[in-house]
């Protein structure tokens, strides 16, 4: 791997820099995405390992073979029904509802990474016993870790705001604390490349990015000469599919 985190850190044993290795430190000093501190943080504080293959799934609709509404089949046609692949699904919700990767995991023995910043959704995701890594974070729009304000008051009104980039971030957090509400909270974000290094995978068969309009900024952070992604599927919040997916999941019904 091409090192970009500077000669200073190459000369200092890990046992020393890990003493000061916190998310606040990584955010404040904008540590590079392959910095040893950033990788350590992800592994120790945020990364959940896959559930054992022997552990049964816990699904709300256990008889539904493929909940993706045809999306996974379209992806698999491109990949010629590949088995034992590796996916990334960002915007994984509860790990079941309209999941593009659950069928691949259950039927074709895929492994992967599930990323979901919504606390409620991630809590449900971890209870599904998915055989994939999972993280309660968002993908950074910068080539270094950042913290954001995440507003989940409604599916259509949710948004992300970068800390230290706007006074509105602090105002939203203060307002939320005052009202004793759980609709706005701080979320840690890491570059996609940092997460891949933490897991030890740089060859990806499918990358699904279902976020709130920050797709281009996220893609710009990726060092494409260092990773290999076979199939990208990018969905923006304004597209009908993602709006419907988030709305129906939030409402818990068959219509918005």
């Amino acid at each position: 791997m091409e090192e970009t985190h500077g000669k200073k850190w190459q000369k200092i044993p890990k046992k020393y820099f890990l003493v000061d290795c916190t998310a606040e430190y990584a955010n404040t000093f904008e540590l590079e995405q392959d910095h040893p501190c950033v990788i350590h943080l992800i592994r120790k504080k945020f990364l959940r390992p896959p559930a054992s293959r022997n552990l049964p799934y816990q699904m709300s609709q256990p008889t539904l073979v493929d909940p993706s509404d045809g999306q996974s089949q379209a992806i698999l046609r491109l990949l010629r029904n590949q088995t034992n692949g590796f996916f990334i699904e960002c915007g994984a919700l509860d790990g079941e509802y309209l999941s593009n990767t659950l069928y691949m995991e259950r039927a074709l023995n895929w492994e992967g990474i599930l990323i979901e910043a919504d606390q409620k959704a991630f809590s449900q995701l971890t209870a599904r016993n998915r055989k994939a890594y999972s993280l309660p974070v968002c993908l950074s729009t910068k080539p270094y870790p950042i913290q954001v304000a995440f507003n989940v008051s409604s599916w259509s009104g949710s948004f992300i705001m970068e800390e230290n980039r706007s006074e509105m971030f602090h105002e939203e957090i203060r307002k939320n604390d005052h009202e004793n509400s759980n609709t706005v909270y701080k979320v840690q974000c890491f570059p996609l490349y940092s997460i891949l290094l933490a897991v030890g995978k740089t060859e990806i068969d499918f990358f699904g990015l279902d976020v709130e309009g920050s797709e281009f900024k996220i893609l710009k952070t990726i060092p494409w000469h260092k990773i290999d992604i076979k199939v990208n599927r990018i969905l923006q919040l304004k597209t009908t599919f993602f709006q419907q997916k988030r709305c129906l999941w939030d409402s818990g019904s068959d219509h918005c």
Side-chain angles (χ1 to χ4, degrees):
M1 181 186 73
E2 177 184 343
E3 300 294 341
T4 61
H5 52 264
K7 295 181 180 179
K8 171 185 174 182
W9 294 98
Q10 294 176 0
K11 298 178 180 179
I12 300 178
K14 285 186 178 181
K15 65 180 181 179
Y16 293 109
F17 77 73
L18 292 183
V19 173
D20 298 319
C21 183
T22 64
E24 182 180 6
Y25 182 87
N27 297 338
T28 301
F29 291 95
E30 300 180 352
L31 299 185
E32 289 84 353
Q33 50 190 324
D34 65 347
H35 195 290
C37 172
V38 176
I39 309 307
H40 172 80
L41 268 176
I42 295 172
R43 288 174 176 168
K44 298 298 182 182
K45 302 293 185 181
F46 298 94
L47 189 64
R48 272 70 165 178
S52 169
R53 287 283 176 181
N54 296 325
L55 199 62
Y57 288 97
Q58 299 294 328
M59 299 295 167
S60 62
Q61 294 181 289
T63 60
L64 183 60
V65 176
D66 183 3
S68 72
D69 196 26
Q71 298 296 315
S72 66
Q73 297 302 318
I75 296 163
L76 287 169
R77 279 196 294 272
L78 295 174
L79 295 170
R80 299 181 179 180
N81 291 318
Q82 177 181 338
T83 59
N84 302 303
F86 195 91
F87 61 77
I88 305 168
E89 188 169 15
C90 181
L93 288 179
D94 67 347
E96 177 183 7
Y97 185 74
L98 289 180
S99 172
N100 292 326
T101 60
L102 181 57
Y103 175 78
M104 302 174 187
E105 181 182 304
R106 287 197 293 191
L108 300 176
N109 204 42
W110 280 51
E111 298 177 337
I113 303 171
L114 300 167
I115 301 172
E116 178 54 58
D118 186 309
Q119 293 176 355
K120 176 185 175 183
F122 187 78
S123 176
Q124 295 178 357
L125 186 156
T126 56
R128 303 293 186 207
N129 292 336
R130 291 287 304 264
K131 284 39 175 185
Y133 292 96
S134 58
L135 301 94
V137 302
C138 53
L139 292 183
S140 179
T141 57
K142 306 291 182 181
Y144 47 79
I146 61 174
Q147 188 179 68
V148 301
F150 191 63
N151 185 326
V152 291
S153 56
S154 70
W155 74 274
S156 58
S158 62
F159 62 90
I160 288 177
M161 191 174 301
E162 296 175 19
E163 187 174 16
N164 299 326
R165 299 297 186 270
S166 173
E167 286 298 319
M168 290 179 65
F169 175 95
H170 304 285
E171 181 60 30
E172 287 292 333
I173 294 298
R174 285 195 297 268
K175 180 181 178 182
N176 183 64
D177 291 341
H178 177 71
E179 296 178 354
N180 191 30
S181 170
N182 293 320
T183 60
V184 180
Y185 46 82
K186 297 179 181 180
V187 174
Q188 181 62 39
C189 304
F190 291 101
L192 174 64
Y193 185 54
S194 301
I195 294 173
L196 293 178
L197 292 180
V199 172
K201 294 287 292 187
T202 55
E203 294 184 4
I204 311 302
D205 297 296
F206 168 66
F207 175 33
L209 183 60
D210 295 2
V211 292
E212 303 179 6
S214 300
E215 291 83 1
F216 181 67
K217 290 181 179 180
I218 290 171
L219 294 174
K220 282 182 65 178
T221 71
I222 299 175
W224 293 99
H225 63 292
K226 296 182 180 181
I227 67 173
D228 178 24
I229 299 178
K230 288 184 180 178
V231 176
N232 289 332
R233 183 173 181 276
I234 311 302
L235 290 176
Q236 295 188 8
L237 179 64
K238 62 185 178 182
T239 65
T240 302
F241 177 82
F242 184 61
Q243 285 183 342
Q244 196 74 1
K245 175 180 176 180
R246 174 66 69 169
C247 176
L248 292 176
W249 183 85
D250 284 346
S251 66
S253 66
D254 295 330
H255 60 278
C256 297

